[in-house]
Amino acid sequence: DAGGGVYYSNHALPPSFDDTSENAGNKLTGAAGYGPQRASIAAKIEIVPDAKSLSSGTVTSDTITISLVDGDGQIVSSGVLAESLVVATYPTGIAMNSGSQVRLKLGKAETPVGIIGKEQTVGIAYQAVATGDVPVPPAELRATIGSCRVGDYFDGVVCKSCGAGHYIPPDVAGRAAAGVGYDDSCFPCQGGYYSPTSNETQCEACPAGTASGFAGAESIATCVACAEDTIS
């Protein structure tokens, strides 16, 4: 018959293509016949992973994947929405320095995420924006803005390091999310101590018999031998 197919096999009977057979993935109807992408009606935006943890002002080293999917969860790769701009909306009090908007290409896009704000967990809604097409529900990314790492302080925008020659006491570092500023957080190493790196919670003492005569020393090279008739 016109439009018919031909099946040839040494088997007496053709293989079964019902839902319970091992050949179910080869059937010509339903999602299994289309692969990972298909041209069908978009149902929603999907984000993977849908939760991220990061410090304020940092940008994630990995990305989130934003996809336009249909009712079967497969990527919709054609239509106006499949090439649309996806825009993030978020609560007042935070800002985004990466991932606030991204354009889909064939229904999919990847982006790193960066958020500025105090310690909290917020929901960020991603909505596809396209003129002349039926809108779909947005997807939510749950972002947890953590406290600054030990040795850093929160300047009201991002986590920053005190820098070499300084230290930040652990109890002050723990208040980073409260907006403690540099002047209240970072302390110069006292005479006889030094700090060669940033993010320190205490300074290192000069070796016995040596001393550093000024505050804020950054290197052991500043520790010089004590004068005659003096001790360290």
Side-chain angles (χ1 to χ4, degrees), residues 31 38 40-44 68-74 76:
R38 66 190 296 189
S40 70
I41 300 174
K44 63 180 180 178
L68 181 69
V69 299
D70 63 12
D72 293 318
Q74 292 181 296
V76 177

Side-chain angles (χ1 to χ4, degrees), residues 81 86 95 206 230:
L81 280 175
V86 178
C206 287
T230 62

Side-chain angles (χ1 to χ4, degrees), residues 43-123:
K44 63 180 180 178
I45 292 292
E46 183 178 77
I47 297 177
V48 178
D50 60 2
K52 280 286 185 184
S53 297
L54 67 167
S55 295
S56 178
T58 62
V59 176
T60 57
S61 57
D62 54 351
T63 61
I64 60 171
T65 300
I66 303 173
S67 304
L68 181 69
V69 299
D70 63 12
D72 293 318
Q74 292 181 296
I75 297 173
V76 177
S77 57
S78 64
V80 177
L81 280 175
E83 303 293 327
S84 69
L85 188 68
V86 178
V87 179
T89 57
Y90 39 86
T92 58
I94 72 166
M96 296 186 70
N97 58 343
S98 180
S100 61
Q101 58 181 326
V102 61
R103 184 168 293 279
L104 297 177
K105 184 174 179 61
L106 298 177
K108 184 178 179 180
E110 294 185 354
T111 181
V113 176
I115 303 174
I116 298 172
K118 294 183 178 181
E119 186 176 355
Q120 60 185 301
T121 297
V122 296

Side-chain angles (χ1 to χ4, degrees), residues 117-137:
K118 294 183 178 181
E119 186 176 355
Q120 60 185 301
T121 297
V122 296
I124 300 174
Y126 280 88
Q127 176 76 61
V129 180
T131 303
D133 209 339
V134 178
V136 295

Side-chain angles (χ1 to χ4, degrees), residues 184-225:
D184 296 325
S185 303
C186 299
F187 298 84
C189 297
Q190 298 178 352
Y193 292 83
Y194 67 98
S195 175
T197 60
S198 58
N199 310 109
E200 296 291 346
T201 56
Q202 62 182 13
C203 298
E204 300 182 34
C206 287
T210 67
S212 175
F214 60 92
E218 300 179 4
S219 169
I220 193 173
T222 61
C223 301
V224 297

